[in-house]
Amino acid sequence: MTATTAHARAAARPCDRETSLTRSLLGYGVIAGPVYVGVSLTEALTRDGFDLTRHAWSLLANGDLGWIHITNLVLAGAMTIAFAVGLRRAHGRGWAPRLLAVYGLSLLAAGAFRADPVQGFPRGVPGGETTWHGVAHLASGGVGFTCLVAACFVLARRFARRGRAAWAWSSRATGALFAAGFLSMVSAAGAAWSNLAFTAAVVLGWAWIGALAAHAYRNA
């Protein structure tokens, strides 16, 4: 089927209320990543004392302007959950929507439980102290990232069964690279290369979610 034929068939399908709702939910998956990454990068480049080579984005939740990143996390989490609901409506029950919903919930939890200050950010705030909300933040991130990686491989298997080799390969690659970036951050915390690798993995993860949402939207 050519792209033109697929587009013509999609345009010919009746856009009833249920379809419109499903597409609206899927649309949140398209915008969640650009919003989260765009706001986070803007914060990282403008917040005093923040260093992209040393500090994870989650540290932006600290300080007088921390509410911006907390709001960013909550919005990204809510949009991811909405996308997961849309994916379930579009493609039926399965593990992928559930795993993505848990990832969205983990973002909400990461916003609720602030990361502990470390490595001199925010400027003037002593780091190194471990708090209960810092531990909760790390735990929510670990659960969420694991679910995102699992969703990549679950969908890779589904795409492979349907003969969508490019999607299967890209989903596996995203899952593997995200897992590698997360493990590098955990094992070499504080190293510039590991922090940059994890940041790149986060951007890649959001890009995959956005592409998946756009694909599901076109086929809803």
Side-chain angles (χ1 to χ4, degrees):
M1 182 188 297
T2 66
T4 302
T5 303
H7 179 74
R9 290 187 179 181
R13 286 198 298 264
C15 188
D16 55 25
R17 185 174 180 179
E18 289 298 311
T19 301
S20 296
L21 176 57
T22 298
R23 288 181 174 174
S24 295
L25 292 169
L26 292 170
Y28 284 109
V30 176
I31 65 174
V35 170
Y36 178 77
V37 172
V39 172
S40 297
L41 279 176
T42 301
E43 290 181 278
L45 295 173
T46 58
R47 291 284 298 275
D48 182 41
F50 191 88
D51 185 346
L52 280 166
T53 66
R54 298 172 57 229
H55 302 134
W57 287 352
S58 58
L59 295 178
L60 291 164
N62 291 287
D64 294 338
L65 297 177
W67 63 270
I68 297 175
H69 196 68
I70 291 172
T71 303
N72 194 27
L73 283 165
V74 171
L75 287 176
M79 287 190 286
T80 302
I81 293 170
F83 162 58
V85 173
L87 191 64
R88 182 183 183 279
R89 289 169 61 93
H91 297 288
R93 296 181 180 180
W95 276 105
R98 298 173 188 171
L99 291 166
L100 289 168
V102 174
Y103 176 57
L105 288 171
S106 77
L107 293 171
L108 296 180
F113 304 116
R114 190 175 63 252
D116 292 326
V118 294
Q119 296 184 318
F121 186 84
R123 192 184 298 277
V125 177
E129 180 182 356
T130 301
T131 65
W132 67 269
H133 55 79
V135 172
H137 179 90
L138 293 174
S140 62
V143 171
F145 295 147
T146 300
C147 287
L148 177 58
V149 170
C152 288
F153 285 104
V154 167
L155 284 171
R157 184 177 180 183
R158 176 183 293 183
F159 283 126
R161 288 201 304 264
R162 296 180 178 180
R164 307 299 296 271
W167 271 103
W169 179 89
S170 62
S171 296
R172 291 192 195 100
T174 299
L177 290 172
F178 193 98
F182 177 58
L183 291 174
S184 71
M185 189 268 293
V186 172
S187 61
W193 69 268
S194 66
N195 194 66
L196 291 173
F198 177 64
T199 300
V202 169
V203 174
L204 176 64
W206 281 117
W208 178 78
I209 288 175
L212 176 65
H215 173 75
Y217 182 95
R218 288 193 298 267
N219 292 279

